Amino acid sequence: MFGLQAEFWVAVAFFLLLALFGYMGVHRTILTALDHRRDRIKQDLDDARRLRDEAAALLADYKKRHASAEREAQEIITSAKEEAERIAAEAKVKMEDFVARRTKAAESKIAFAEAQAVADVRAAAAEAAVTAATQVLSQSVKGNVADGLIEKGIGEVRAKLN
C-alpha cells in the first residue's frame, strides 16, 4: 500500500504544482514567450524571404549588366578590327602611292642622267673632233688661207655636233 500512496502523493503534488502555476499565471508567461518566439521566427523568415528576393533582383541586374558589358566589349572589338583593317588598307594605298612616286622620281632621275651623259659624250666627241680637225688642217694647210679654213671648219663642226 505504501507504493500506492507514493504514487498518489506524487500525482497530488503534480496537480497542486499545476494549480499553483495556473494561479501564478506561468502558463500565460510560457504562452507569451512562445508567441514572442513565433513572432521572431516569422520575422526572421520574412527577412530571409525579403533578402532572397533582393539577392535575386541583384543577380538579375548583374546578369543584365554582364550581358550588356559583353555586348559592348564585342562591339568594341569589332569596331577595333574594322578600324585596324581600314587603317591597314589606307597604309597599303599610301605605301603603293609612295612607291609609285619614288619609282617615277627614280626613273626621271635615270632619264635625266642618261640625257646628261649623252650630252656630255656629244660635247666630248665634238671637242675631240674639233681638236683632231684643227691638228689635221693645221698640218695640211699653211698660211692665211689655212687659218680662214680652219676657223670656218671648226665653226661648222661645232654647229653640227652641238
Side-chain angles (χ1 to χ4, degrees), residues 76-97:
I76 289 171
I77 290 170
T78 303
S79 172
K81 284 181 181 178
E82 290 171 357
E83 184 70 15
E85 289 172 1
R86 184 186 62 76
I87 289 172
E90 286 178 5
K92 183 179 178 184
V93 168
K94 286 180 181 178
M95 182 60 74
E96 288 172 354
D97 183 47

Side-chain angles (χ1 to χ4, degrees), residues 29-155:
T29 306
I30 292 173
L31 288 176
T32 303
L34 288 175
D35 287 342
H36 286 307
R37 182 174 172 104
R38 181 199 64 211
D39 292 342
R40 196 172 57 239
I41 290 171
K42 183 180 178 199
Q43 184 180 6
D44 289 345
L45 287 173
D46 291 342
D47 288 343
R49 280 189 203 104
R50 183 180 51 79
L51 289 173
R52 185 190 68 212
D53 293 342
E54 287 177 7
L58 279 174
L59 179 64
D61 184 45
Y62 285 130
K63 283 183 179 180
K64 285 182 202 172
R65 287 183 184 180
H66 179 70
S68 174
E70 284 289 327
R71 279 193 311 275
E72 189 174 331
Q74 281 301 106
E75 289 171 1
I76 289 171
I77 290 170
T78 303
S79 172
K81 284 181 181 178
E82 290 171 357
E83 184 70 15
E85 289 172 1
R86 184 186 62 76
I87 289 172
E90 286 178 5
K92 183 179 178 184
V93 168
K94 286 180 181 178
M95 182 60 74
E96 288 172 354
D97 183 47
F98 175 75
V99 168
R101 281 187 283 128
R102 293 294 275 191
T103 303
K104 188 174 180 181
E107 289 172 353
S108 174
K109 285 181 181 179
I110 290 170
F112 179 74
E114 284 178 0
Q116 186 68 32
V118 168
D120 289 346
V121 168
R122 278 190 179 180
E127 244 354 275
V130 168
T131 305
T134 303
Q135 286 179 357
V136 168
L137 287 176
S138 66
Q139 290 173 1
S140 314
V141 181
K142 302 268 184 202
N144 284 339
V145 174
D147 289 339
L149 286 174
I150 291 173
E151 289 297 322
K152 184 178 175 187
I154 291 174

Side-chain angles (χ1 to χ4, degrees), residues 13-38:
F14 178 71
F15 285 115
L16 282 176
L17 183 64
L18 285 180
L20 178 66
F21 282 166
Y23 176 74
M24 293 189 69
V26 171
H27 66 287
R28 277 183 246 131
T29 306
I30 292 173
L31 288 176
T32 303
L34 288 175
D35 287 342
H36 286 307
R37 182 174 172 104
R38 181 199 64 211

